[in-house]
Amino acid sequence: MRVRHYAVRASLPLLCLVAAAQPRIDNVLIRMVPPGTTSMVGARMDQIRATELYRKLVDQRKLTQIDRFARDTGFDPRRDVRELLFAATPSGGVMLARGSFRIHGEHMKNAKPVRHGEYTIWTSGNSGFCVLDTSLAAAGDTKSIEAALDEWKSGDHKGALPLLAHAKDVDAGQPFWGVSTEFGHFLADHMAIPPGGIDFSKIFRGIQEAWFQSEFSNGVKGSLHGVTASEQDAVTLRDTAKGLIGLGRLSVPENQPDLLKLWDGIEVEQPGRSIAIRADIPQTLVDQLVKMAGTGQLGTGGLRKAIPLP
């Protein structure tokens, strides 16, 4: 108990900084971010679950992997998580979660328990997860989980400070946001590439530091703000983004003119070394895209009709 009281006192300067800067982050999760973290992505799942987009996506798609995970562990991330904070670390990354966790040992018969201080990490290979208490959990590669647990117990709680300095412009009300000082590398490591699709991480690789935010209460609204190494890099990135938007408009099928609104809702600005990409997709179009995804029209073939792929 004395350690916890010390941790709270020592973290007061950090908590004051979080209160004054954006985004708004759970004051427990932020104190678990390991030192050396180069990117953070946050999601307030209680807000996201309330949106029409989330309900339609979950109702439409049968997520067999999550179903299996929920059955094996007794924990369903679609229902039991209130807030998520992902931290990219030198060894990989750790997902920190606040919610309601009641995982029992009998669910973990296929996982190997590894003790780290007072906590148990349930591992499989080089990854695993740890339930600290009924409201706090961490998952990722084992080294990152251990680093998060050490930061939580240390009473220092400075791992997130360098990134928070780059996230001061994030709107506190946004349910989905991120900040990175190695944005290109972060996308290369974490962005999935569809079969035959465009590697968007290559497009954004010139961005050194960036922050983004998005919300889904009425359609999809979001923005990405980045800084490149030089003004010429920013110009190249701007021209690439605008070129893709133009090609996207030209490739819209004649019988689906509403898809033009997708491309019309994307804007690109480039002042100096900075780049800003903003998207505003109306709810009617989001509903159409969700419906197309459910019928397979946005698979590789359907994607080729909306976005020209090599």
Side-chain angles (χ1 to χ4, degrees):
M1 183 65 68
R2 187 174 300 171
V3 173
R4 286 292 178 90
H5 286 320
Y6 169 74
V8 172
R9 291 197 305 270
S11 63
L12 283 177
L14 172 60
L15 297 181
C16 292
L17 174 62
V18 173
Q22 309 297 356
R24 181 170 64 83
I25 311 170
D26 182 278
N27 63 1
V28 172
L29 297 184
I30 198 65
R31 286 185 274 158
M32 294 183 68
V33 174
T37 293
T38 56
S39 301
M40 292 192 303
V41 177
R44 297 219 284 275
M45 294 304 300
D46 51 352
Q47 290 183 235
I48 294 174
R49 272 196 299 268
T51 65
E52 185 176 353
L53 173 61
Y54 180 88
R55 290 194 294 269
K56 288 184 176 181
L57 287 174
V58 170
D59 290 343
Q60 178 175 283
R61 291 184 175 273
K62 185 178 181 181
L63 304 175
T64 55
Q65 289 183 327
I66 296 182
D67 290 338
R68 187 181 307 114
F69 179 82
R71 182 178 63 251
D72 292 345
T73 65
F75 163 63
D76 191 335
R78 294 164 296 190
R79 179 194 64 225
D80 299 330
V81 173
R82 183 176 74 249
E83 183 168 345
L84 293 172
L85 181 63
F86 175 77
T89 66
S91 63
V94 58
M95 182 71 78
L96 308 169
R98 287 278 267 173
S100 177
F101 310 109
R102 292 179 176 81
I103 297 176
H104 302 292
E106 62 266 22
H107 289 116
M108 303 309 302
K109 57 184 178 182
N110 296 322
K112 177 183 177 182
V114 174
R115 291 293 293 180
H116 186 77
E118 65 185 84
Y119 300 110
T120 298
I121 303 174
W122 296 91
T123 66
S124 177
N126 295 323
S127 62
F129 70 92
C130 174
V131 177
L132 286 75
D133 57 41
T134 58
S135 67
L136 181 61
D141 68 274
T142 305
K143 288 185 178 180
S144 295
I145 296 175
E146 292 174 346
L149 295 176
D150 291 342
E151 182 68 11
W152 171 239
K153 297 297 293 184
S154 71
D156 194 15
H157 308 316
K158 295 181 180 179
L161 288 178
L163 283 170
L164 287 176
H166 296 277
K168 61 182 182 298
D169 293 322
V170 175
D171 185 343
Q174 299 295 304
F176 186 60
W177 61 273
V179 59
S180 177
T181 53
E182 294 185 2
F183 188 71
H185 291 98
F186 176 77
L187 284 185
D189 292 340
H190 300 96
M191 192 174 194
I193 304 173
I198 297 176
D199 183 356
F200 283 98
S201 69
K202 291 182 179 180
I203 298 173
F204 297 125
R205 196 156 287 164
I207 297 179
Q208 294 183 324
E209 60 185 63
W211 62 269
F212 71 85
Q213 60 185 23
S214 186
E215 61 98 7
F216 322 101
S217 59
N218 184 20
V220 175
K221 297 180 178 67
S223 61
L224 166 69
H225 305 260
V227 178
T228 60
S230 68
E231 185 170 347
Q232 184 55 52
D233 287 342
V235 170
T236 300
L237 177 57
R238 177 202 65 194
D239 293 345
T240 300
K242 287 188 173 182
L244 283 174
I245 294 170
L247 289 173
R249 286 182 56 84
L250 291 173
S251 65
V252 171
E254 292 184 2
N255 64 342
Q256 295 177 331
D258 286 348
L259 289 180
L260 287 171
K261 297 177 183 177
L262 171 65
W263 305 105
D264 292 341
I266 303 176
E267 299 178 350
V268 182
E269 297 178 357
Q270 179 263 312
R273 291 171 50 216
S274 299
I275 186 92
I277 302 175
R278 297 181 177 86
D280 187 351
I281 305 174
Q283 185 65 50
T284 53
L285 180 55
V286 171
D287 293 341
Q288 182 179 347
L289 293 173
V290 170
K291 184 177 180 180
M292 292 172 66
T295 58
Q297 296 181 60
L298 287 183
T300 303
L303 188 62
R304 286 186 179 275
K305 295 178 182 179
I307 304 176
L309 305 178

